[in-house]
Amino acid sequence: TIMIIGTLITVSSNSWLGAWMGLEINLLSFIPLLSDNNNSMSTEASLKYFLTQALASTVLLFSSILLMLKNNMNTEINESFTSMIIMSALLLKSGAAPFHFWFPNMMEGLTWINSLILMTWQKIAPLMLISYLSMKNLLLITVILSVIVGAVGGLNQTSLRKLMAYSSINHLGWMLSSIMISESIWLIYFLFYSFLSFILTFMFNIFKLFHINQLFSWFMNSKILKFSMFMNFLSLGGLPPFLGFLPKWLVIQQLTMCNQYFLLTVMMMSTLITLFFYLRICYSAFMLNYYENNWMMKMNMNSTNMNL
């Protein structure tokens, strides 16, 4: 409850100091959620999270004081420089590239529920604050870096949590580009992304799936459940007939209208790479003549022979 209140304070505050206070409340209420006595990695993850967020909060507070000095005491401070510092602090809080290094390592030590909160709810406050700033050049560089890092980073991952983390960085690039155009498109994209992430992490949590090799031999009997889960994977990747393509379509359309062709090309190329590693995971589910069917037949034959 306090975590939700913290985010709401940030979103509804009318000063940078109020926004900083909301972010701090949000941070201090999320850390107890992370700590788990049975898991030593969760303690490490909560410490990493605290250090990175505390650094970002310090920078944010420092830059908001600089802004206050400029406005109230007429000191000579370059406003664009201050805005750039604020933007960097908020990008560090949200885990966008090039400030993303803490994010995948931290995700590795979390449970699926905490991962979901980190990927969705914890991004609302920083992204809302980013939308107040008009730093288009810095945002452009961040979007390009985020989509490339999210795509390339997920290629050699065997851990599903790290895969979801790099996927989140890639989607964050899309969200930041939609913030550049309009807040309503960002909201639509964020809601769709949260919905698809919720479905996937919920299923991973129920069936205790943490690595890719668990998926290959998973649900040998229930083909429908396997198929529906991998359809969600492809939807998260943004493959056209699925739900996840709709928000991407809106962003593509708006970027085309704004003549951002270079940015759009980079984003779409990176999405193709993310789709490649999603398809690699889904391969076993979609091949009907895959070895698992033969395996099941052999198992059944062996059991009947033993009965005889």
Side-chain angles (χ1 to χ4, degrees), residues 103-229:
F103 192 65
N105 292 329
M106 193 196 143
M107 279 272 285
E108 191 61 30
L110 300 184
T111 60
W112 278 119
I113 303 298
N114 287 336
S115 301
L116 179 67
I117 295 169
L118 185 67
M119 286 191 296
T120 54
W121 184 263
Q122 294 300 90
K123 284 189 172 40
I124 294 173
L127 287 174
M128 278 299 285
L129 293 178
I130 285 168
S131 69
Y132 301 154
L133 296 164
S134 55
M135 292 289 296
K136 213 151 195 181
N137 293 338
L138 181 62
L139 210 54
L140 209 66
I141 295 162
T142 308
V143 168
I144 291 169
L145 280 171
S146 293
V147 291
I148 291 171
V149 165
V152 177
L155 275 175
N156 58 347
Q157 296 302 330
T158 54
S159 164
L160 284 173
R161 278 174 294 196
K162 275 196 175 175
L163 198 83
M164 291 295 281
Y166 280 109
S167 168
S168 181
I169 293 166
N170 183 272
H171 280 286
L172 192 60
W174 281 81
M175 282 182 225
L176 289 170
S177 69
S178 62
I179 282 176
M180 282 177 7
I181 314 157
S182 78
E183 278 186 36
S184 55
I185 289 180
W186 166 68
L187 195 62
I188 291 166
Y189 196 106
F190 183 78
L191 287 172
F192 274 89
Y193 168 69
S194 303
F195 175 66
L196 291 168
S197 295
F198 170 74
I199 294 170
L200 272 176
T201 47
F202 193 66
M203 290 182 88
F204 289 151
N205 188 46
I206 289 171
F207 299 106
K208 300 287 179 283
L209 300 168
F210 296 105
H211 296 278
I212 288 178
N213 59 355
Q214 287 174 277
L215 292 173
F216 292 137
S217 57
W218 183 63
F219 285 148
M220 285 186 176
N221 298 326
S222 176
K223 292 281 190 290
I224 296 167
L225 204 53
K226 193 170 189 177
F227 205 75
S228 61
M229 178 174 172

